[in-house]
Amino acid sequence: MYRLSFYMAVMIMLHFHFSFVNACRDDERSYLLDFKGGLNDSTGRLRSWQQFNCCQWQGVVCDYHSGHVVSLDLKNRIYDQKQCTERDDRCRFSWKIHPSLFNLQRLQYLDLSWNFFNYTAIPPQLAKLQRLTFLNLGGAYFGGEIPLELSNITTLRYLDLSTDSALDLSGHDRESQRFAGWIRNLRNLEYLNMNWVNLSMASEDWGSALSSLSNLREIRLSGCGLSGTIPSLLNLTHLSHLHLSDNSFPSPLPAWFQNVSSLVSLDLSRCSLNGSIPSNFLHRSSPSSLELSSNSYLGGVIPHSFANFSMLETLLLSDNNLTGDLPPFGSLVSGPSSLRHVDLRNNRLYGTIPDTISELYSLTDVYLSNNRLSGTIPDTISKLSSLVNLDLSDNQLSGSITDTISKLVHLASLLLSSNNLTGSIALSALEDLAHLEELDLSENQLTVNTSLSGIPQLAQLEYLRLRSCNLQGQISPFLSTLYSLKELDLSDNNLVGNIPNWLWDLPSLEALYLSHNRLEGFLPHVFLSTQFSLEYVDLSDNNIVGNIPTWLWDLPGLDRLNISHNQLEGTLPPAVSNIGFTLDLHNNSLHGSIPDFSLWFLDLSENRFNGSIPRSICSDFDSLEYLDLSKNRLNDVIPTNLASCSSLYILNLAQNYLEGEMPRELENLTELQTLNLGENKLQGVIPPSIASCTKLRVFDIGKNRIQGSIPVWIVELAELRILNLAFNKLQGTFPPDLHRLRNLQILDLSHNNLSGLIPQSLGKLNAMANQTQSDVIEMSSSDWVMGDGVGLVFQIRFVNQVTLWIKGRATPYPKIISAFKFMDLSHNQLSGNIPEEMGELKGLIALNVSNNNLSGSIPESFGGMAHLESLDLSRNMLSGNIPADLVNLTFLSVLNVSNNNLSGLIPQGKQFATFEGSSYLGNPNLHGPPLENGTLRSGWGERGGQVQSNSTGVSETDTYDEMDRWWAVSVGLCFGVGFASIIAVLCFHLEWRYKCFSLQDRFIQYIFKH
């Protein structure tokens, strides 16, 4: 880099040319001591600043002839090497700059970077140092405005003011004019670094101002709030480094880049660029580093003109929308290969990995994950002898993992997860990879063999992920030799037996994932001394029994614990204080009281907890985001302290025995997206405070004892997708503007005492009228993926389960997809006609208005509801004909118009040929198969279908009834025997039982995910 190649040489010359002097000047020695007095040098880095000759002090360089101090280098190089924490006083100076520093009038070089000055302002008195050519205050935690006086140091050639967003150039009339004038004065500037300085108001003039500095070689303005388009910098003929990442330039790459001839390094990552990469992009330059990552609207193909970049070492194009075949790697360079780092992950590239990848023999890092690459891993990859990191995960690669991988002896990270790789592989095949630290073979069709006595060569492994790798038998003892292991993922396999004690005793283990296996037995009750490193534990979906060992509640670093879907018993401690983020114990047999907790995520649903919800909830910790206590035996009232959980967005207390009224204090839960209080014993009215929860998407208070009317303010909950008020004691009429709930796709008001007319405006419910079938409601049952910044991932279950009555059955829907639209207004006192406008709800799958006092005819518009599967209009006072167009509803599988006053001929053909006679009973004037004079027609069974005549003396109907009875008995007997046989097998054969239920669970998950 220019900074290293030039200024380090200057420093060396300064040191050798100026330091050979007998003694420094007394006044300047005094100035330096005053300056030292303003610093907090807790590490003694300036311990040498005690000798008489200040020219021999650490970081001080003097002029050889005059003895004046000309260089002061106090850069914190330890922190610059990422060996210290952000505010570690052991590594950095702190406090402030003493004014005596500004008396060093001969100072040419000043470096205070990577120290901590507590966000104090940059002193404007620095402008007194009129001979400065080098000023570096980068990462030193200054704050406030950059003083205009710095622009008076016209001798500056190197200026670094990079920060963490605490500096800006605001506060004056026009910031853009201020920046332009400020920067133009620095006419000798060659290096400018103002990363993360707020220049958001300087967007219009910053390009022209920089273009006036003809000597500029490096520009670093990342994260400065710049916007618009990237201005032309063609006047800067010496420009070699241009870094503008983390700004906003929502436009294509400007054409002037094709005429730049001096660029060596370009970084435009995270700039909101769009369009495509021009084929002649930078074709006159020879860049060594090109970074265009994380511009999600940057598409097109990777230009083959990149072959002209003979000096290219780093190519980073990840997280874009690039498509097309993966270019032949050998064509990316001409002549000897210099390419070392390639990152193309998270695009839409397809095709195969070319064999010519072997020509890039200098490669150390290859990241191609999350694309659509197919074919096999080429054997020629074994020629990349310098390769350190190889990531091909999340593609469509097939074939087997050959022994060519074992020839990559410098490999530290091998990620092949989520492909279609097949065959068997033993970890012993990788024994030559002595430097391997990370291995991920998860989610393929591989069978991985870990049954080994030990492989010392893999002792460096820190991350081993073998999720869904068809592991069999017990957990391999080989893993006990991996003392460096930090993360172990063996989830979703066929592991059996107990969890071995030695697994808990791995000294470096931070994350342990063993979910979705057949592990059984008890968790160890003996405290293991090395468990203090554990942060993530997921043992869910196994057969673990017994009590949760008490030592789990004593682990100080435990962040996330998931032991859900097991057979745990016993109680929890009175308080859970050691877990920092997530506790998921749902679907066990735990009992007792809910403990006090300070968590972000708590799921204790589907247990046997009783008593009340802790009154201390959110009293000391208000960051709770997810709380699911449903399907327990909780009683008492909902505590008002829940109002203190201001970050809560999932609250599920359904299926308990909660009493009293809904707390009016819920108005404070402004982030709430799901509120499920269904199937309790709640009374009173719907409190007006709910109107403040404007982000609600699921509101379920069904099956309670709620009274009053549906509040008119409910239409203000514009984000509602699911509204379930069924099985309550609500009265009154519909709110007049219910159609304003444009996102509503499930509306259940059944089993109340609602009266009045069905409003015509219901036909304007936008989501129900929409026939699209693509998206998934994002707050539905899914996996919440979280990371801790070091690659450890934890999956958390979100549940927004709603129980609906569909086709005559109560059906739980744990994931509500946009294709599912449902409306149930049954069992009320509604009157008047069914509005013709309801036929506009063409996305509805189920409509039930039965058991009301509705009159008039069935709307003809219902014939256009093409997605309708269930239609129940029974037990009303409807009259007229059944619309003939209903025959065209090809998805209709349930129809019930019984017990009305319908008349005329029943439509025939298509779906209507499949409906039972009971669908039409109770309509005396309705005729046609399968009815005659309002009753079942002779020769037709209740299920429909005509009975054939016979020549015996027995009536056809009698014959049919007799056969029907025997048929029913036979089917029932056969079904009972068969069912009993299956149950017997599942009861006495553990492995078959597990496979059966696992298959069922996976099938249900597959259905809901797709």
Side-chain angles (χ1 to χ4, degrees):
M1 290 178 60
Y2 181 75
R3 175 171 51 177
L4 294 177
S5 60
F6 179 77
Y7 285 103
M8 290 305 295
V10 171
M11 279 299 301
I12 294 173
M13 289 189 292
L14 284 172
H15 177 77
F16 284 102
H17 183 69
F18 292 137
S19 61
F20 296 103
V21 65
N22 291 329
C24 67
R25 300 174 65 92
D26 289 341
D27 56 342
E28 294 188 356
R29 182 179 187 275
S30 177
Y31 298 150
L32 289 174
L33 288 176
D34 289 341
F35 172 70
K36 176 187 177 183
L39 302 175
N40 178 17
D41 181 21
S42 59
T43 61
R45 287 166 54 198
L46 301 184
R47 64 172 60 94
S48 65
W49 286 33
Q50 298 176 357
Q51 306 171 21
F52 176 77
N53 187 0
C54 67
C55 296
Q56 296 179 355
W57 292 355
Q58 179 179 340
V60 178
V61 177
C62 299
D63 183 274
Y64 176 76
H65 298 289
S66 65
H68 285 293
V69 175
V70 294
S71 174
L72 188 58
D73 184 3
L74 299 179
K75 177 179 182 177
N76 176 23
R77 288 178 171 80
I78 299 177
Y79 183 78
D80 195 31
Q81 297 169 9
K82 310 300 182 186
Q83 296 179 15
C84 297
T85 57
E86 191 172 270
R87 301 188 183 184
D88 196 338
D89 287 340
R90 296 172 302 171
C91 301
R92 303 198 286 177
F93 299 127
S94 59
W95 300 110
K96 60 182 179 179
I97 298 177
H98 194 278
S100 62
L101 176 68
F102 314 129
N103 295 324
L104 301 175
Q105 295 294 310
R106 301 298 182 91
L107 200 63
Q108 300 175 31
Y109 187 105
L110 177 61
D111 191 343
L112 300 177
S113 60
W114 297 107
N115 288 291
F116 182 63
F117 287 94
N118 202 26
Y119 298 100
T120 56
I122 297 175
Q125 296 94 321
L126 280 172
K128 294 180 178 181
L129 305 177
Q130 285 292 303
R131 300 191 181 209
L132 273 183
T133 61
F134 185 103
L135 177 60
N136 189 352
L137 304 180
Y141 289 89
F142 287 102
E145 299 175 16
I146 297 175
L148 288 174
E149 289 81 357
L150 288 186
S151 65
N152 296 327
I153 313 176
T154 58
T155 54
L156 275 177
R157 299 173 66 186
Y158 184 108
L159 177 61
D160 189 342
L161 299 176
S162 57
T163 182
D164 64 342
S165 301
L167 288 172
D168 60 38
L169 278 170
S170 62
H172 292 256
D173 293 338
R174 288 199 61 193
E175 182 181 344
S176 58
Q177 292 181 355
R178 183 173 186 246
F179 175 77
W182 183 86
I183 203 68
R184 280 192 173 101
N185 287 344
L186 304 177
R187 53 185 177 274
N188 292 307
L189 205 60
E190 300 177 8
Y191 176 96
L192 174 65
N193 188 345
M194 296 180 69
N195 286 344
W196 301 102
V197 174
N198 183 7
L199 302 176
S200 58
M201 297 299 293
S203 296
E204 296 180 2
D205 293 358
W206 68 273
S208 60
L210 292 177
S211 293
S212 67
L213 306 179
S214 58
N215 294 321
L216 265 180
R217 287 172 164 80
E218 293 196 32
I219 299 175
R220 300 173 183 270
L221 298 178
S222 296
C224 292
L226 302 174
S227 59
T229 59
I230 302 174
S232 174
L233 300 174
L234 282 176
N235 291 342
L236 303 179
T237 57
H238 301 292
L239 187 64
S240 61
H241 293 70
L242 178 61
H243 291 190
L244 301 176
S245 63
D246 295 284
N247 287 291
S248 180
F249 304 121
S251 58
L253 287 163
W256 62 266
F257 275 117
Q258 69 187 30
N259 296 317
V260 177
S261 59
S262 56
L263 269 183
V264 174
S265 176
L266 175 64
D267 186 357
L268 298 177
S269 303
R270 299 172 296 280
C271 284
S272 303
L273 296 171
N274 56 41
S276 58
I277 304 175
S279 59
N280 56 359
F281 184 66
L282 295 181
H283 73 114
R284 295 187 178 181
S285 297
S286 296
S288 62
S289 177
L290 176 57
E291 301 182 35
L292 301 175
S293 298
S294 300
N295 293 288
S296 57
Y297 295 103
L298 185 63
V301 299
I302 300 174
H304 283 235
S305 60
F306 284 5
N308 298 324
F309 300 158
S310 59
M311 304 302 293
L312 192 64
E313 296 183 5
T314 300
L315 178 63
L316 308 182
L317 303 177
S318 65
D319 297 282
N320 290 307
N321 197 30
L322 299 173
T323 187
D325 287 318
L326 196 66
F329 276 87
S331 70
L332 288 180
V333 292
S334 58
S337 169
S338 58
L339 198 60
R340 297 173 58 85
H341 312 284
V342 174
D343 190 349
L344 307 178
R345 58 188 154 186
N346 300 326
N347 282 285
R348 295 190 297 126
L349 301 170
Y350 49 80
T352 60
I353 301 174
D355 291 336
T356 52
I357 192 173
S358 61
E359 299 176 22
L360 304 178
Y361 48 80
S362 298
L363 275 177
T364 59
D365 305 292
V366 176
Y367 299 101
L368 301 177
S369 62
N370 198 19
N371 281 286
R372 302 174 183 178
L373 302 177
S374 57
T376 60
I377 302 173
D379 289 340
T380 55
I381 205 169
S382 62
K383 297 181 180 180
L384 302 179
S385 57
S386 300
L387 202 60
V388 175
N389 297 299
L390 177 61
D391 185 357
L392 304 178
S393 58
D394 289 284
N395 280 289
Q396 300 168 17
L397 299 173
S398 56
S400 58
I401 301 176
T402 64
D403 58 0
T404 56
I405 293 291
S406 64
K407 298 179 181 179
L408 303 175
V409 294
H410 296 289
L411 209 59
S413 176
L414 176 60
L415 309 179
L416 303 177
S417 64
S418 299
N419 280 286
N420 298 318
L421 300 173
T422 57
S424 300
I425 181 172
L427 291 187
S428 58
L430 306 177
E431 60 183 345
D432 293 334
L433 305 182
H435 302 285
L436 194 63
E437 298 177 357
E438 184 176 18
L439 175 63
D440 191 347
L441 304 178
S442 303
E443 302 289 347
N444 282 284
Q445 300 173 36
L446 293 168
T447 298
V448 178
N449 182 8
T450 62
S451 301
L452 306 169
S453 58
I455 305 177
Q457 289 86 345
L458 295 181
Q460 302 300 318
L461 262 182
E462 296 183 0
Y463 304 93
L464 178 59
R465 306 184 189 99
L466 301 177
R467 182 177 64 256
S468 189
C469 282
N470 198 27
L471 301 179
Q472 306 285 337
Q474 297 185 339
I475 297 176
S476 173
F478 145 70
L479 299 175
S480 64
T481 65
L482 303 179
Y483 296 114
S484 300
L485 207 59
K486 294 182 179 179
E487 178 181 346
L488 176 62
D489 188 349
L490 305 179
S491 57
D492 202 11
N493 282 289
N494 294 311
L495 297 173
V496 298
N498 295 334
I499 301 175
N501 282 355
W502 55 258
L503 189 58
W504 299 96
D505 212 16
L506 290 173
S508 303
L509 194 63
E510 298 175 359
L512 177 62
Y513 305 111
L514 300 177
S515 65
H516 292 88
N517 280 287
R518 291 184 289 157
L519 298 170
E520 55 190 20
F522 298 87
L523 294 176
H525 287 270
V526 180
F527 186 81
L528 304 176
S529 60
T530 57
Q531 291 168 341
F532 290 101
S533 61
L534 271 177
E535 298 179 14
Y536 309 88
V537 176
D538 187 353
L539 309 178
S540 61
D541 289 271
N542 281 288
N543 298 315
I544 300 171
V545 299
N547 296 332
I548 301 177
T550 57
W551 55 261
L552 269 175
W553 312 119
D554 296 324
L555 297 181
L558 194 59
D559 199 24
R560 292 159 186 157
L561 175 63
N562 186 350
I563 322 182
S564 62
H565 279 277
N566 279 284
Q567 301 174 33
L568 295 173
E569 299 176 338
T571 61
L572 299 183
V576 175
S577 58
N578 66 310
I579 300 178
F581 192 91
T582 298
L583 177 60
D584 190 349
L585 301 175
H586 81 273
N587 204 335
N588 279 287
S589 298
L590 300 169
H591 62 274
S593 301
I594 303 290
D596 292 330
F597 57 88
S598 298
L599 296 163
W600 296 66
F601 181 108
L602 178 64
D603 191 346
L604 300 179
S605 62
E606 300 180 71
N607 280 285
R608 293 182 289 139
F609 290 106
N610 52 32
S612 58
I613 300 172
R615 295 293 190 272
S616 60
I617 187 170
C618 290
S619 58
D620 298 321
F621 183 81
D622 61 357
S623 296
L624 181 66
E625 296 183 356
Y626 184 107
L627 178 62
D628 191 347
L629 304 178
S630 63
K631 299 183 181 180
N632 279 288
R633 302 173 182 178
L634 301 175
N635 50 34
D636 207 346
V637 298
I638 300 174
T640 57
N641 267 21
L642 269 175
S644 302
C645 306
S646 56
S647 301
L648 197 65
Y649 61 91
I650 302 289
L651 176 60
N652 190 352
L653 304 178
Q655 299 185 48
N656 280 288
Y657 301 99
L658 298 173
E659 301 174 337
E661 298 184 354
M662 297 170 59
R664 301 183 183 275
E665 292 80 4
L666 293 178
E667 62 186 354
N668 296 326
L669 304 183
T670 56
E671 299 298 317
L672 201 62
Q673 295 185 27
T674 293
L675 177 59
N676 192 345
L677 305 177
E679 300 188 51
N680 281 286
K681 298 180 180 180
L682 299 175
Q683 300 176 350
V685 299
I686 303 175
S689 57
I690 301 294
S692 300
C693 304
T694 56
K695 296 182 180 180
L696 266 184
R697 297 188 172 192
V698 175
F699 184 34
D700 186 350
I701 55 172
K703 287 195 175 182
N704 278 286
R705 302 169 183 174
I706 304 298
Q707 299 174 335
S709 60
I710 302 176
V712 295
W713 50 256
I714 205 163
V715 300
E716 303 297 331
L717 304 179
E719 298 297 321
L720 265 186
R721 267 69 165 172
I722 300 172
L723 176 60
N724 185 4
L725 307 179
F727 290 92
N728 280 290
K729 300 179 180 180
L730 296 172
Q731 298 176 338
T733 61
F734 282 84
D737 296 323
L738 199 61
H739 64 281
R740 290 170 54 187
L741 299 176
R742 298 179 58 83
N743 295 305
L744 194 67
Q745 60 187 72
I746 293 178
L747 174 63
D748 193 348
L749 305 179
S750 64
H751 292 84
N752 281 287
N753 294 313
L754 300 175
S755 58
L757 305 177
I758 299 177
Q760 296 178 355
S761 59
L762 276 189
K764 299 179 181 179
L765 288 170
N766 188 64
M768 293 187 183
N770 194 340
Q771 301 183 60
T772 57
Q773 303 183 15
S774 54
D775 299 332
V776 175
I777 290 184
E778 57 192 60
M779 81 303 173
S780 302
S781 175
S782 61
D783 286 334
W784 187 20
V785 181
M786 297 214 163
D788 65 350
V790 294
L792 299 180
V793 176
F794 198 78
Q795 294 188 341
I796 303 173
R797 186 183 65 104
F798 268 7
V799 175
N800 287 290
Q801 182 164 297
V802 178
T803 300
L804 305 173
W805 285 85
I806 306 293
K807 302 178 184 179
R809 290 180 297 179
T811 306
Y813 280 82
K815 173 175 280 193
I816 306 301
I817 60 176
S818 67
F820 189 81
K821 317 291 175 62
F822 171 87
M823 181 184 292
D824 191 346
L825 309 179
S826 65
H827 292 271
N828 281 287
Q829 303 298 323
L830 301 174
S831 58
N833 296 340
I834 301 176
E836 191 76 25
E837 290 79 2
M838 289 190 68
E840 297 300 318
L841 304 179
K842 299 184 185 299
L844 275 184
I845 286 181
L847 174 63
N848 188 350
V849 295
S850 65
N851 290 274
N852 281 286
N853 299 316
L854 299 172
S855 58
S857 60
I858 300 175
E860 295 285 343
S861 59
F862 280 12
M865 302 173 73
H867 294 281
L868 205 60
E869 297 181 15
S870 176
L871 177 61
D872 191 346
L873 309 176
S874 63
R875 298 188 181 278
N876 282 287
M877 296 182 290
L878 299 175
S879 59
N881 298 328
I882 299 176
D885 286 346
L886 293 185
V887 173
N888 297 322
L889 302 181
T890 55
F891 291 106
L892 194 64
S893 58
V894 173
L895 174 67
N896 192 348
V897 295
S898 64
N899 296 289
N900 281 285
N901 295 319
L902 298 173
S903 59
L905 183 65
I906 297 174
Q908 301 297 310
K910 298 183 179 178
Q911 292 296 101
F912 272 65
T914 66
F915 297 143
E916 302 176 357
S918 58
S919 297
Y920 310 104
L921 289 175
N923 292 281
N925 297 317
L926 199 61
H927 60 89
L931 296 184
E932 182 174 325
N933 297 325
T935 61
L936 286 177
R937 185 174 182 178
S938 177
W940 287 75
E942 187 174 341
R943 289 184 302 277
Q946 188 171 9
V947 180
Q948 300 298 320
S949 62
N950 60 69
S951 57
T952 68
V954 185
S955 94
E956 290 89 342
T957 304
D958 292 342
T959 301
Y960 174 84
D961 291 341
E962 186 69 16
M963 292 176 62
D964 193 40
R965 283 192 291 269
W966 281 109
W967 176 83
V969 172
S970 301
V971 169
L973 182 61
C974 293
F975 176 80
V977 173
F979 182 74
S981 301
I982 293 174
I983 293 300
V985 171
L986 294 181
C987 286
F988 296 103
H989 200 295
L990 178 62
E991 182 175 355
W992 286 19
R993 181 169 74 247
Y994 176 81
K995 288 183 177 180
C996 175
F997 293 141
S998 296
L999 180 61
Q1000 170 186 297
D1001 290 343
R1002 293 183 185 181
F1003 176 75
I1004 293 174
Q1005 292 174 7
Y1006 176 84
I1007 291 298
F1008 287 140
K1009 285 182 179 180
H1010 295 77

